[in-house]
Amino acid sequence: METLSWGAIVARLLSQLLPVWIGMAAVFALSFGFKRRLGLYGQLFDSTIGMIGFAIVLFWALTGIFADTIITFDPLQQISGMKNKVPGTPLPEAVAGYRYYLLGGDNLARDVFSRMVSGATIVMQIAPLATLFAFMVGITLGLPAAYYGGRLDTFLSFLANLILAFPVILLFYLLVTPEIVQTGLPTYMAGVLFLFPIIFLVVLWNSRYFTQRGKRAAYLAVTLVLGLWLYLGVAWNADPLGLISVPPNILIVFVSVVFVNSPTVFRIVRGLALDIKTRDYVAAAQTRGEGPWYTMLWEILPNARGPLIVDFCLRIGYTTILLGTLGFFGLGLAPESPDWGTTINDGRKLLSIYPHPAIAPALALMSLVLGLNLLADGLREESLRD
Amino acid sequence: MVPFLIRRVGLMLLTALCLTFIVFWLTNLPPNLEKLAKTQGTVRMTDAQTASWLETRGYARPLPVKYAEWLGLIPAWTYEDSYGNAAGRCIGDGIAPEDAPRRCGVLQGDWGQSSVFREPVSEIIGKRLWLTGKLMFWVLLVMVPSALLIGVLAGMREGSRLDRTLSTFSIATTATPEYVSGVILIAVFASSAVGLKWFNGTATGAMEDATFANFTLPVATIALFGMGYVARMTRAAMAEVMTAQYIRTARLKGLSFGAIVWKHALRNALIAPFTVIMLQIPWLLNGVVIVETLFNYKGFGWTLVQAASNNDVSLLLGCSVVAVVVVLLTQLISDVGYVLLNPRIRIA
Amino acid sequence: MIDRNDDGPILEIENLSISFFTRRREIPAVMDFSAVIRPGEALGLVGESGCGKSTVALGIMQDLGVNGRVTGGAIRFKGRDLTAMDEAGLRRIRGSEIAMIYQEPMASLNPAMTVGRQLMEVPMIHEGISRRAARARALDVIGDVRLPDPGRILDAYPHQLSGGQQQRIVIAMALMSKPALLILDEPTTALDVTVEAAVVDLVRGLGEKYGTSMLFISHNLGLVMEVCDRLCVMYSGEAVERGSIGDVFDEMRHPYTQALFRSIPLPGADKNTRPLKAIPGNFPLPHERPPGCNFGPRCDYFRPRRCDAGDIPMMTVPGNDRHGSRCLRFGEIDWNAPLPRAETQASAEIGAPVLQVEALKKYYEVAANALFGGHRRVVKANETLSFTAHEGETLAIVGESGCGKSTFAKVLMGLETATGGSILLDGAAIERLPIEKRGTDLVSSVQMVFQNPFDTLNPSMSIGRQISRALEVFRVGKTEAGRRARMLELLDLVKLPREFATRMPRQLSGGQKQRVGIARAFAGGARIVVADEPVSALDVSVQAAVTDLLMEIQRQNRTTLLFISHDLSIVRYLSDRVLVMYLGHVVEIGTTDQVFAPPYHPYTEALLSAVPIADTNVTKRHIVLEGDVPSAMNPPPGCPFQTRCRWKPQVPGDLCETELPPMRELGGGHQVKCHLAEDMLAQMEPVITLAAE
């Protein structure tokens, strides 16, 4: 068999990604249909830039979700004779399965396309979730810092600046090493950081329903039971039911990314809250005797959501870059992991001779971050309108 | 102003102390020390040998004591083995135990000895910083003017075609981390696969003699990433200024568009980017580490990676002090500069 | 080009139409607008927000932005059509022949440029004169706008000047090239009343001195009367009536003009016997204008199939000087028919004392400089504040910004605690009880209505939920259903349709939002309601409705209302007693009649004179206060008002500068904080006199 031409490669790629196209078409059709009823998300479809961004992000999200049906080979499978082969190279006759390495083979004779698609799953699992946790931590600390001011603010701001003054890479090199995992430090950090979402939700319900005992008890019970179960499983690897567990090297990556992101979120939340604090509706809440947490979480926070959503998108992109950085320095994830950063790092050694193993994940990462940036831009533009 | 500066410098020292203590603590965790022992000694040491290796080199003592020694607050450790050979923190090559000073920490100007390079930390850092400084100088020289120009051109007529083009360009550059743009640039301009081969794929030669061929790619890689962000900030500031009332006032005074941009808008619009550029410098440090690794340019970032991956405690501490000072100094400059540029805050 | 005729009008606007184009539709902002301004004439343009008056001004300047376009008609300045002029031609006219001044003086000045450079720029670009000559001219003009120490001012940055000084600089900048036409768009709205009076006085004087024609845009009929010769009333994009001040004020020929006058509190109006009459309904949105007369749906004289049949042209009112009205029926309406008498409300009976404030003090400590810290200074926001408020009474607290009225409100609400003195609510001391230590009863019995309608409701919570939340917190109603029923009742109480329960705040107009704010304040059966300028941000036609609502609910619930305001017209209309504050001190307190009649405190006298009154039958003594309100951080020694007091020379020695005057009883509970001797106070004449009708 002959090596495929570029046109044939593209055609095969497109057909391989069929589940993604169906998913995208469905999401877009539904969103357009109910555009006017979907609030800010619906408005997004009025902005070209926002739509392009959303499409790219959706593409990678769906690729991550359907990775198992899209990939043509196991991302770790090595097929002899396929080392560093150019895109479109056919497989030796003897090997079963898909006939081509669509985007070529890497220096260990693995399929670049399948590795790139599997990389999307890893990024799409870690980046949004880590960003969400960073937001919970930043919000839970940023709101009181702005609301109370004074010493609490000075102390928390000092802590945030302390972490920000650390060069990120130094921090990663110190935290994300097998030796540190041995000491159990990541578990303790996870123990502290993962408490914040639970605290956040408990305070949220409590402040809202303190006048209605029944409702409060119900909401708190659900939050605490679910939250503590997840907490024990994720942070301490001690799920009583034995369903949830996170490998320690993933946990350390996750924790360090949350840790690095939260101070910035803290600063953003604090700035927004300082501004919104001066509004009359906050004073109105205070004059009817609302507690500080109600005021913070139900009066201030919902009105800061515009900029926060925009920053959330940008920050997922930034987290993706950080994950790539970790991979690039070979920190945290296993060396054979198909995540984009690690793959780029692997490919760069032979870059001047065989660029394709590094270029594919590089373009993937770049397009995802670009999509997130465009999405954020579209959201910002639309939320400023009217 | 003077009390303000004193307070800021005090805060800086406090931050540096906290940070170095954290680095000290992390690098002195038992597994890290074991690793150090095994890389410096032999890999096949038994646990007991490891323990004695650490013992004889002063590592097996309480953390605060070691930290205080590093600072030079208390007399340094000494150790005398059963043969009467003295060793100690301050006892090194060519210094007899009798002549060694009792304290040799940061306060005495002694940053310790690098365990990887076997050279004094201060010498290594001085040499490497100079190389990185050269790189940064060119990066800033390329990045700042072009970022400001792009931002101002895009922001002065918001929504125009020029704005859309330049904005897309700056978004694209911010979305491309250094390890991606570096890889792409090398693949395009230096690989035999594409065949352009305009520039060199490594910058090792640039350490001695920087030329257009060997220095362009590293400089461009860092500058591109930082440029997009600064340009977007400049654009936002410029666009905001252009909608301000006083710009309308100027227009209704009969000023031409050029005069409005040049005389009324520019100064107000450049206040925000100044802060951003200053705060961007610590971020460039990240880029520096990636780019120096990628292009094999042995500057500060490369040293940092070497120190961190070998758990070279003294060198790491030295590096982190430098990094912290850079971060805090740029913050200070950005605050002071903001005040000087912005007459509204200047003390009346 | 038409030969310039010196006797011709300076500005002639003919059937001007302006539209803004959005992605979805064209929004007409101004339709078929015509006006003429002759040399030396001042034309007032009056209307509520959104009526298109500012668009007219920007249309004249040809500065409508990317979305705005002139879609019809012509604007002729000295015979040249501005709509057909190119960019370079416009640039030559802007700033040199037509100059514009607008609302926010701080925003109109470039913060990074000295005042001097901004002033000198104007003649330098238009006349090409040297820097030295320009500076000399700037010094001259700064003298003309009565700013002290011109040399220092020229080298200052805008932020170093006070609001009043900044507006004078903006005026000076407009006058630098001696323009033929000056456009002023709400030039005093952002200023305090006494400063406003001084600026208006200045504008009028300069108009006469330079012979400049003026287009004066304002929502305030009183101000227009003081400044202008002629008047044009706008409603929803159209001019509805125009003519000379005298004609329009005394012989109005359009129902909207009439309704506008009936909704503003003029001397003689009284909440019990002669209440204000609000204009029913809402201002139509630009794309929902009714056919025919835009005012039709809200008009008392509306005739179906006639008023909504087709476009209505401007028609001349016979017998008057260029007086026109856009009403088909102006000939048939009996304009002198007395207002149908609303039923006279029994004035609420004033009950036992509810709130007693005794020598209340509130000091703040602030850092002198936000960024650099520096030594801390004490702001004395409230000094020995004493008064009593009774059940069912409306007590007005009057003063300009920085007088400490809002600080007092905060202390009363428990958002701050007092530094000294006492506040007794039904005999119990609450001055040191912060809000979190107050019980539910206490919290719900002291409530507040806020100033800014756009800020008073949480934008991301529905109206119903916001009211229900107040009920929840005040523990009203046992069940969810009970609270919901009560919430709907509250909506009824403030005369909002029940469907509003599910609306979000952004779907409501300013007046409607303020009603929700009132409903929320009364949710827990408040005994004392503090209303902090509740209507000052609303349009005049809405103000009357909201004020009356507040009065009505107060009467029903026998609530004590503390009405904080700087607007003496409205205070006179609705309050039983008045308390005047200046720099944290109560300078005068008494019943409304006592305070509004001599003897006055000198500050009250100036304040009264500063309030513009839209009534040609009123003669007002003209008192202009020089300078600005001193900073509360650095108050003058002795009497707080001594720096601006025109009666100071009448007090022997330097008593005013050294000693704080005591509170003096003038009989009948009327108290004044002033050193003036009895006979001096007795000599004071009334500021406002109504001509016999």
Side-chain angles (χ1 to χ4, degrees):
Chain A
M1 278 196 293
E2 288 185 14
T3 302
L4 292 173
S5 70
W6 277 106
I9 291 176
V10 170
R12 280 172 177 266
L13 284 179
L14 290 180
S15 78
Q16 203 58 34
L17 288 166
L18 189 67
V20 175
W21 306 131
I22 295 173
M24 283 179 75
V27 170
F28 266 77
L30 284 175
S31 308
F32 260 106
F34 299 100
K35 188 156 109 174
R36 295 281 159 250
R37 275 193 260 158
L38 291 171
L40 185 60
Y41 170 74
Q43 276 177 29
L44 188 64
F45 291 85
D46 286 335
S47 136
T48 324
I49 288 197
M51 253 193 317
I52 297 176
F54 182 68
I56 299 176
V57 174
L58 189 64
F59 171 83
W60 284 114
L62 291 173
T63 307
I65 291 170
F66 296 123
D68 285 345
T69 58
I70 295 171
I71 51 171
T72 49
F73 295 92
D74 183 304
L76 301 182
Q77 188 185 355
Q78 303 177 339
I79 296 174
S80 61
M82 295 304 287
K83 190 171 161 187
N84 291 328
K85 285 287 181 281
V86 295
T89 308
L91 250 58
E93 295 294 335
V95 187
Y98 200 80
R99 296 311 320 146
Y100 297 94
Y101 265 12
L102 286 175
L103 292 179
D106 67 4
N107 60 345
L108 290 175
R110 295 168 299 195
D111 180 31
V112 171
F113 172 69
S114 300
R115 288 182 67 75
M116 183 185 80
V117 170
S118 309
T121 317
I122 297 180
V123 168
M124 281 299 168
Q125 272 173 348
I126 300 183
L129 211 59
T131 314
L132 189 70
F133 271 76
F135 263 75
M136 295 264 199
V137 176
I139 289 171
T140 322
L141 294 176
L143 285 176
Y147 189 80
Y148 291 111
R151 269 175 210 194
L152 181 73
D153 184 24
T154 316
F155 175 69
L156 288 176
S157 297
F158 177 74
L159 272 192
N161 288 336
L162 196 64
I163 301 174
L164 288 174
F166 244 117
V168 179
I169 292 193
L170 178 60
L171 199 65
F172 281 162
Y173 258 112
L174 291 174
L175 274 182
V176 194
T177 58
E179 288 75 31
I180 296 281
V181 176
Q182 261 178 43
T183 62
L185 184 68
T187 313
Y188 297 120
M189 282 176 71
V192 175
L193 288 175
F194 292 177
L195 262 186
F196 279 95
I198 302 180
I199 297 175
F200 177 81
L201 287 174
V202 165
V203 175
L204 188 78
W205 300 131
N206 189 45
S207 61
R208 173 79 177 82
Y209 294 113
F210 77 95
T211 51
Q212 293 151 277
R213 302 232 163 130
K215 262 194 184 170
R216 171 168 75 170
Y219 276 102
L220 287 189
V222 171
T223 309
L224 283 176
V225 168
L226 269 180
L228 288 177
W229 175 51
L230 287 171
Y231 177 72
L232 285 175
V234 173
W236 299 100
N237 210 358
D239 174 16
L241 305 177
L243 290 177
I244 306 166
S245 77
V246 179
N249 63 334
I250 297 277
L251 187 71
I252 180 69
V253 167
F254 196 85
V255 168
S256 357
V257 171
V258 173
F259 187 69
V260 170
N261 268 321
S262 6
T264 328
V265 179
F266 166 86
R267 292 227 290 215
I268 294 170
V269 173
R270 180 177 168 273
L272 288 168
L274 276 178
D275 174 29
I276 297 175
K277 197 175 102 168
T278 60
R279 303 292 166 85
D280 277 351
Y281 52 81
V282 174
Q286 290 168 335
T287 56
R288 62 169 187 263
E290 297 283 10
W293 282 101
Y294 179 88
T295 319
M296 284 183 241
L297 293 175
W298 292 93
E299 302 279 344
I300 296 180
L301 186 59
N303 296 303
R305 66 176 187 274
L308 285 184
I309 291 173
V310 170
D311 187 71
F312 186 73
C313 291
L314 288 177
R315 201 148 292 284
I316 296 179
Y318 176 62
T319 308
T320 310
I321 294 183
L322 278 187
L323 289 175
T325 311
L326 280 172
F328 182 78
F329 286 107
L331 296 168
L333 299 160
E336 72 279 2
S337 150
D339 76 283
W340 296 337
T342 311
T343 324
I344 295 174
N345 187 33
D346 279 350
R348 73 182 167 94
K349 284 150 205 156
L350 292 172
L351 200 56
S352 43
I353 313 159
Y354 304 114
H356 63 270
I359 289 286
L363 290 179
L365 191 142
M366 185 181 139
S367 67
L368 173 62
V369 179
L370 183 66
L372 285 163
N373 272 279
L374 293 176
L375 177 65
D377 245 36
L379 283 173
R380 182 180 3 236
E381 224 168 80
E382 287 304 318
S383 65
L384 289 181
R385 209 178 286 265
D386 74 42
Chain B
M1 199 75 176
V2 175
F4 165 73
L5 281 176
I6 291 175
R7 238 170 358 115
R8 285 302 294 264
V9 171
L11 196 67
M12 217 162 107
L13 285 177
L14 185 64
T15 313
L17 270 181
C18 289
L19 284 184
T20 46
F21 186 75
I22 294 171
V23 174
F24 207 88
W25 171 60
L26 285 172
T27 46
N28 277 284
L29 284 170
N32 273 332
L33 289 180
E34 272 168 41
K35 184 182 152 200
L36 179 72
K38 286 181 177 162
T39 46
Q40 293 295 307
T42 55
V43 184
R44 270 164 298 178
M45 281 199 292
T46 62
D47 286 356
Q49 283 171 318
T50 311
S52 96
W53 190 92
L54 291 173
E55 178 76 20
T56 53
R57 279 158 186 81
Y59 287 108
R61 285 161 324 113
L63 184 70
V65 176
K66 288 189 280 183
Y67 184 62
E69 281 175 10
W70 177 77
L71 281 178
L73 286 176
I74 58 169
W77 61 273
T78 48
Y79 181 86
E80 201 160 317
D81 62 12
S82 43
Y83 306 108
N85 292 332
R89 182 185 160 82
C90 308
I91 306 169
D93 300 337
I95 300 174
E98 306 81 48
D99 306 336
R102 294 189 57 230
R103 295 182 186 140
C104 52
V106 173
L107 288 178
Q108 286 78 32
D110 186 344
W111 292 78
Q113 192 83 4
S114 156
S115 58
V116 181
F117 297 101
R118 311 207 178 270
E119 269 177 74
V121 168
S122 45
E123 272 176 38
I124 302 175
I125 288 186
K127 199 163 63 193
R128 301 304 174 186
L129 260 185
W130 161 245
L131 288 171
T132 297
K134 190 161 80 174
L135 181 63
M136 290 292 276
F137 171 78
W138 285 104
V139 166
L140 288 176
L141 202 68
V142 172
M143 182 185 92
V144 173
S146 42
L148 292 183
L149 190 69
I150 291 175
V152 167
L153 287 178
M156 75 187 186
R157 284 189 207 271
E158 211 186 349
S160 67
R161 185 162 303 171
L162 182 69
D163 173 25
R164 297 238 174 256
T165 319
L166 292 176
S167 293
T168 314
F169 172 73
S170 28
I171 292 180
T173 60
T174 38
T176 319
E178 289 94 347
Y179 53 87
V180 170
S181 52
V183 162
I184 295 177
L185 287 177
I186 295 179
V188 172
F189 294 112
S191 77
S192 50
V194 175
L196 285 178
K197 294 208 139 205
W198 291 353
F199 306 112
N200 294 3
T202 76
T204 318
M207 295 194 299
E208 294 300 317
D209 171 35
T211 63
F212 192 66
N214 62 20
F215 219 38
T216 305
L217 288 185
V219 167
T221 307
I222 305 179
L224 268 180
F225 185 59
M227 186 159 71
Y229 187 67
V230 176
R232 290 181 76 185
M233 290 296 147
T234 314
R235 177 192 172 270
M238 188 71 188
E240 193 190 320
V241 165
M242 287 309 282
T243 57
Q245 279 271 18
Y246 56 83
I247 294 298
R248 169 169 276 178
T249 310
R251 200 161 58 230
L252 297 188
K253 271 182 196 172
L255 261 68
S256 63
F257 187 75
I260 290 172
V261 170
W262 190 248
K263 286 168 79 176
H264 285 263
L266 221 48
R267 173 147 181 213
N268 288 298
L270 290 185
I271 296 171
F274 175 78
T275 321
V276 174
I277 293 170
M278 275 317 186
L279 297 179
Q280 190 75 2
I281 290 180
W283 280 107
L284 292 179
L285 211 63
N286 266 335
V288 165
V289 177
I290 294 173
V291 166
E292 289 185 0
T293 309
L294 189 62
F295 289 92
N296 206 17
Y297 181 83
K298 292 178 178 133
F300 179 72
W302 180 85
T303 313
L304 184 73
V305 171
Q306 295 306 315
S309 43
N310 295 299
N311 206 42
D312 186 340
V313 182
S314 300
L315 188 54
L316 253 184
L317 284 168
C319 286
S320 46
V321 169
V322 170
V324 168
V325 167
V326 168
V327 170
L328 297 178
L329 213 56
T330 48
Q331 273 178 10
L332 182 69
I333 294 174
S334 105
D335 280 358
V336 173
Y338 186 73
V339 172
L340 293 181
L341 279 173
N342 194 343
R344 261 176 291 191
I345 304 186
R346 202 180 294 166
I347 308 160
Chain C
M1 205 198 269
I2 305 166
D3 210 29
R4 202 187 125 193
N5 179 356
D6 275 349
D7 296 318
I10 291 285
L11 185 77
E12 214 180 345
I13 303 177
E14 225 174 72
N15 309 104
L16 178 70
S17 293
I18 296 172
S19 288
F20 289 95
F21 293 85
T22 65
R23 245 190 304 185
R24 281 188 212 146
R25 55 171 94 82
E26 171 185 355
I27 296 171
V30 175
M31 290 160 306
D32 191 27
F33 179 89
S34 302
V36 173
I37 302 179
R38 298 197 168 152
E41 202 172 60
L43 172 71
L45 203 53
V46 174
E48 295 173 271
S49 52
C51 73
K53 51 191 196 301
S54 296
T55 311
V56 170
L58 293 175
I60 297 170
M61 297 308 276
Q62 289 292 300
D63 188 50
L64 290 165
V66 272
N67 298 323
R69 213 177 313 147
V70 173
T71 51
I75 305 168
R76 274 190 287 277
F77 175 73
K78 293 183 179 169
R80 288 167 288 173
D81 188 355
L82 296 177
T83 59
M85 204 175 273
D86 65 349
E87 211 27 56
L90 285 171
R91 270 212 303 277
R92 275 195 295 278
I93 287 186
R94 288 176 183 161
S96 71
E97 298 199 68
I98 310 179
M100 185 159 171
I101 294 167
Y102 24 56
Q103 198 166 348
E104 286 282 339
M106 180 69 196
S108 320
L109 294 170
N110 188 337
M113 238 192 208
T114 59
V115 165
R117 277 189 59 199
Q118 298 188 51
L119 286 175
M120 284 147 60
E121 200 175 45
V122 181
M124 279 163 69
I125 46 173
H126 286 297
E127 297 162 38
I129 63 176
S130 70
R131 182 168 284 272
R132 183 183 296 257
R135 191 175 167 91
R137 170 104 53 102
L139 283 172
D140 253 16
V141 178
I142 288 192
D144 277 351
V145 295
R146 290 182 230 151
L147 279 174
D149 200 356
R152 189 186 60 83
I153 296 244
L154 278 191
D155 294 328
Y157 283 94
H159 67 98
Q160 292 165 328
L161 308 175
S162 70
Q165 288 175 327
Q166 286 168 358
Q167 195 58 300
R168 282 164 198 262
I169 292 297
V170 175
I171 294 173
M173 196 153 75
L175 293 173
M176 281 300 282
S177 265
K178 311 244 176 335
L181 176 65
L182 191 58
I183 301 174
L184 302 103
D185 188 358
E186 305 262 12
T188 57
T189 311
L191 305 176
D192 270 321
V193 253
T194 53
V195 180
E196 172 184 80
V199 168
V200 165
D201 188 56
L202 173 75
V203 166
R204 205 169 32 198
L206 290 174
E208 277 158 28
K209 180 178 170 190
Y210 287 83
T212 316
S213 306
M214 281 191 274
L215 179 66
F216 189 90
I217 297 172
S218 178
H219 64 281
N220 188 330
L221 285 164
L223 264 186
V224 169
M225 189 187 99
E226 289 189 5
V227 178
C228 302
D229 312 303
R230 297 181 58 77
L231 169 69
C232 176
V233 182
M234 284 188 80
Y235 180 79
S236 190
E238 288 178 333
V240 292
E241 182 165 6
R242 61 167 181 249
S244 68
I245 292 283
D247 289 343
V248 177
F249 272 60
D250 298 333
E251 288 177 52
M252 58 198 74
R253 285 293 175 268
H254 193 280
Y256 174 65
T257 319
Q258 189 188 40
L260 211 52
F261 273 98
R262 285 183 177 170
S263 66
I264 53 176
L266 296 173
D270 182 287
K271 63 175 167 176
N272 294 320
T273 57
R274 266 185 67 186
L276 301 181
K277 191 168 170 304
I279 306 180
N282 284 317
F283 205 76
L285 293 172
H287 50 92
E288 290 168 0
R289 289 188 181 120
C293 178
N294 281 344
F295 189 58
R298 304 172 73 186
C299 181
D300 290 341
Y301 308 104
F302 181 73
R303 289 281 180 278
R305 283 189 299 285
R306 188 160 160 225
C307 293
D308 55 6
D311 285 350
I312 299 162
M314 188 66 107
M315 286 167 291
T316 312
V317 177
N320 285 337
D321 171 36
R322 291 180 283 152
H323 187 182
S325 163
R326 203 184 276 270
C327 178
L328 283 176
R329 305 189 61 226
F330 80 83
E332 325 165 6
I333 297 171
D334 177 9
W335 293 99
N336 293 320
L339 195 66
R341 281 255 149 167
E343 54 183 299
T344 304
Q345 301 274 357
S347 58
E349 202 178 309
I350 294 187
V354 175
L355 184 73
Q356 281 164 297
V357 178
E358 198 58 55
L360 186 74
K361 268 193 196 131
K362 176 66 193 171
Y363 294 171
Y364 283 104
E365 257 196 10
V366 290
N369 185 298
L371 188 58
F372 296 119
H375 58 109
R376 300 177 83 78
R377 288 168 139 181
V378 175
V379 177
K380 298 178 177 176
N382 286 152
E383 280 270 34
T384 56
L385 193 62
S386 307
F387 68 88
T388 307
H390 302 260
E391 190 184 41
E393 181 183 49
T394 306
L395 176 69
I397 302 177
V398 176
E400 295 173 282
S401 55
C403 74
K405 49 193 201 289
S406 300
T407 304
F408 167 69
K410 279 189 185 157
V411 175
L412 178 60
M413 303 302 304
L415 297 180
E416 302 275 357
T417 50
T419 313
S422 67
I423 302 178
L424 302 178
L425 178 72
D426 294 325
I430 58 167
E431 76 279 353
R432 286 179 195 284
L433 270 187
I435 185 103
E436 55 268 30
K437 295 224 179 95
R438 295 184 176 187
T440 309
D441 283 345
L442 179 53
V443 168
S444 62
S445 62
V446 186
Q447 279 297 296
M448 185 154 176
V449 178
F450 292 87
Q451 172 173 14
N452 186 347
F454 299 95
D455 219 26
T456 180
L457 300 180
N458 184 341
S460 38
M461 221 189 256
S462 73
I463 303 301
R465 244 189 83 199
Q466 303 207 29
I467 299 178
S468 298
R469 177 69 194 179
L471 292 172
E472 262 171 41
V473 174
F474 296 153
R475 321 253 170 189
V476 179
K478 292 249 173 340
T479 59
E480 193 100 343
R483 276 192 295 270
R484 189 174 160 75
R486 177 78 189 127
M487 180 265 289
L488 294 172
E489 277 170 33
L490 280 168
L491 281 180
D492 295 342
L493 180 73
V494 294
K495 297 181 181 142
L496 287 176
R498 289 186 165 201
E499 301 88 81
F500 273 37
T502 54
R503 301 255 174 104
M504 295 306 271
R506 70 188 132 81
Q507 294 167 293
L508 271 62
S509 71
Q512 289 166 339
K513 283 183 194 163
Q514 213 53 328
R515 282 165 195 264
V516 177
I518 292 171
R520 197 173 53 185
F522 282 93
R527 303 208 48 213
I528 297 180
V529 168
V530 181
D532 187 359
E533 310 245 11
V535 295
S536 63
L538 302 176
D539 272 322
V540 271
S541 68
V542 185
Q543 276 186 9
V546 174
T547 319
D548 281 344
L549 175 76
L550 207 52
M551 294 286 105
E552 201 182 307
I553 300 176
Q554 182 204 16
R555 244 189 310 258
Q556 282 169 17
N557 299 3
R558 300 191 48 72
T559 316
T560 305
L561 187 65
L562 296 184
F563 191 90
I564 298 179
S565 180
H566 68 277
D567 182 350
L568 283 172
S569 317
I570 206 137
V571 163
R572 171 185 221 158
Y573 167 70
L574 59 75
S575 56
D576 301 307
R577 286 198 303 141
V578 179
L579 185 155
V580 184
M581 285 185 76
Y582 188 79
L583 275 187
H585 292 265
V586 178
V587 294
E588 182 165 4
I589 182 168
T591 65
T592 309
D593 293 338
Q594 286 168 342
V595 171
F596 280 78
Y600 308 104
H601 184 276
Y603 176 62
T604 315
E605 185 192 29
L607 210 53
L608 274 173
S609 164
V611 178
I613 298 172
D615 191 337
T616 48
N617 293 320
V618 167
T619 39
K620 210 167 66 171
R621 265 189 315 127
H622 194 63
I623 302 161
V624 171
L625 286 186
E626 287 307 327
D628 294 299
V629 184
S631 152
M633 258 195 258
N634 193 9
C639 172
F641 190 56
Q642 50 113 340
T643 51
R644 300 166 82 198
C645 182
R646 70 183 192 116
W647 290 88
K648 197 164 95 175
Q650 313 299 327
V651 175
D654 55 358
L655 205 53
C656 290
E657 279 148 42
T658 52
E659 211 173 295
L660 183 69
M663 205 67 181
R664 279 160 58 190
E665 177 72 40
L666 298 178
H670 187 196
Q671 294 178 321
V672 173
K673 202 178 256 182
C674 186
H675 283 305
L676 275 179
E678 293 281 350
D679 55 329
M680 281 297 170
L681 286 172
Q683 274 177 29
M684 282 190 177
E685 290 165 18
V687 175
I688 297 168
T689 34
L690 263 170
E693 279 189 54

